[in-house]
Amino acid sequence: MPELPEAETIVRSLRGHLEGARITRVEFRSARVSKSDPARLAGTTVAGVNRYGKQILWELDRGWVLVKLGMTGALLWNSEPGPYTRALVELTNGHVCFDDIRQFGSLSVMATPPNTLGPDPLEITSAAFAQRLRQRDTEVKKLLLDQKFVRGIGNIYADEALFRAGIHPKARTRQISAARARGLHLAAAELLRTAIEHRGSSISDYVDAGGERGSFQSLHLVYGKEGESCRTCGSAIRRIVVGQRGTHFCPRCQKRT
DNA sequence: CTTAATGTTCCCCA
DNA sequence: TTGGGGAACATTAA
C-alpha cells in the first residue's frame, strides 16, 4: 500500500502527535512484526518523524525506529486495536497501532539511521538521475522499482511515471536518451508531488494516521486500467508482467526508444 | 479453485 | 559485480 506519497502523508498526519511525546509501553502482538525487544523503547522520547523512501523513521532521544509498511501496513493514531494490530505503541498523549493484514511489514529498533537506499526522487536532480539511469542496462521499470536506485517509487507510481514520460516499461535503460531520462525524472517528481497534494492513492485499504483515504487514485491514467481507453490516444491500455509485477501501459504512447 | 494485490528478500544461474 | 528468473512470506477478494 505505501509508496512515497502515502508514506509522506502518513508522516505528515502522525508527526504532530508524536514529536515530543514519550513512549510508555510497546507491545508486539505478532512474532514476525519485529525482532527487537519492545522493552528497549519504553521511556524514550520521540524527537522526529520522517520519511525514508517509502519507509517511516522515528527519531528517538536514544535510537531510531524504522517502520516498513510492506503491502498492507498502516500507522493509526488512537485507533481501536483490532485483529490485524501487530504492534501497539503507547505514549504519554495517546497510542499508535501498527496494523498490517498481510504481515509483510516490520518495525525495527536501530542504533543508527539506515542509509542503504538510493537518492530520494524529490531531492536528486534530473541530470544526476539520468546519469545514474544510463549507466545501467535493464528494463526501465525494474530499475524504478529498485530502492537502491531511487527510494520511494513502487508499482503504481512506476507505471504512472512511465506513461506520463511516454516510455515503455520494458525499454532498456541504455537505449534511453539523456533528454528522455531527464524527462522521466521530471514526470516522476511532478507525479509524486501531485500525489502528495492529494494525500496519496487509496486503491484498496491505504489510509493515513487519521484513518483518512487519499484521492489520487482518481487521477491514475494507466494503473489498474487494463482494457480502458488511453486518455491521450484512445488505444486500449495493456497489462503485462515485468519483474513479476503487474504492469500497465499504453502500447501506442509509450516508446521503447 | 485460481489469481492477483501499493513489497522485499533470498537463492540459483549466466 | 551486474542482470535474469523464480520462489517465498501471509491474507483477502474477486
Side-chain angles (χ1 to χ4, degrees):
Chain A
M1 77 187 240
E3 300 183 31
L4 186 154
E6 291 75 37
E8 180 66 27
T9 303
I10 291 171
V11 162
R12 292 182 184 183
S13 56
L14 192 58
R15 178 182 284 143
H17 297 297
L18 295 192
E19 287 184 356
R22 184 167 46 82
I23 296 173
T24 52
R25 180 175 162 273
V26 175
E27 181 185 335
F28 294 147
R29 299 188 168 192
S30 146
R32 63 174 34 255
V33 71
S34 182
K35 291 173 184 159
S36 311
D37 175 9
R40 279 175 60 196
L41 293 173
T44 60
T45 296
V46 182
V49 178
N50 290 288
R51 179 179 62 76
Y52 181 59
K54 56 180 81 163
Q55 307 172 3
I56 295 169
L57 193 57
W58 298 11
E59 180 183 0
L60 309 175
D61 55 355
R62 171 173 51 80
W64 307 74
V65 174
L66 183 66
V67 180
K68 295 182 178 178
L69 296 162
M71 290 284 251
T72 56
L75 288 174
L76 298 167
W77 176 250
N78 278 351
S79 74
E80 199 61 36
Y84 304 118
T85 299
R86 312 298 183 185
L88 182 59
V89 179
E90 295 175 4
L91 303 107
T92 41
N93 59 340
H95 66 270
V96 175
C97 290
F98 176 56
D99 287 14
D100 184 16
I101 293 174
R102 289 177 69 180
Q103 301 193 79
F104 288 170
S106 65
L107 195 156
S108 10
V109 181
M110 334 180 70
T112 54
N115 68 340
T116 51
L117 303 183
D120 193 290
L122 296 181
E123 292 171 3
I124 192 175
T125 65
S126 294
F129 175 94
Q131 186 177 34
R132 282 170 65 77
L133 182 141
R134 279 158 52 78
Q135 61 197 32
R136 302 289 295 273
D137 184 22
T138 186
E139 293 168 340
V140 64
K141 177 172 176 182
K142 280 197 204 169
L143 191 59
L144 289 180
L145 293 178
D146 180 351
Q147 302 299 296
K148 291 191 288 297
F149 175 66
V150 280
R151 69 174 109 114
I153 295 175
N155 209 33
I156 293 177
Y157 296 102
D159 284 2
E160 293 294 327
L162 288 166
F163 173 75
R164 285 160 168 78
I167 297 175
H168 193 290
K170 297 187 86 157
R172 301 298 301 194
T173 51
R174 278 267 159 76
Q175 297 181 24
I176 298 174
S177 70
R180 300 191 76 219
R182 288 194 301 272
L184 173 58
H185 175 262
L186 288 176
E190 180 178 4
L191 168 72
L192 295 168
R193 272 191 277 266
T194 306
I196 290 169
E197 287 172 16
H198 290 262
R199 306 177 63 86
S201 301
S202 293
I203 60 154
S204 60
D205 48 17
Y206 160 73
V207 288
D208 70 12
E212 298 283 329
R213 291 168 59 82
S215 65
F216 191 70
Q217 66 278 8
S218 67
L219 296 175
H220 291 176
L221 300 177
V222 288
Y223 184 81
K225 307 268 181 213
E226 182 184 14
E228 294 182 30
S229 299
C230 170
R231 299 265 262 280
T232 303
C233 78
S235 302
I237 300 301
R238 286 187 50 198
R239 180 187 179 280
I240 59 175
V241 173
V242 177
Q244 294 185 299
R245 310 299 302 276
T247 297
H248 315 77
F249 72 105
C250 172
R252 186 144 144 207
C253 294
Q254 295 179 249
K255 311 250 189 303
R256 289 179 116 107
T257 53

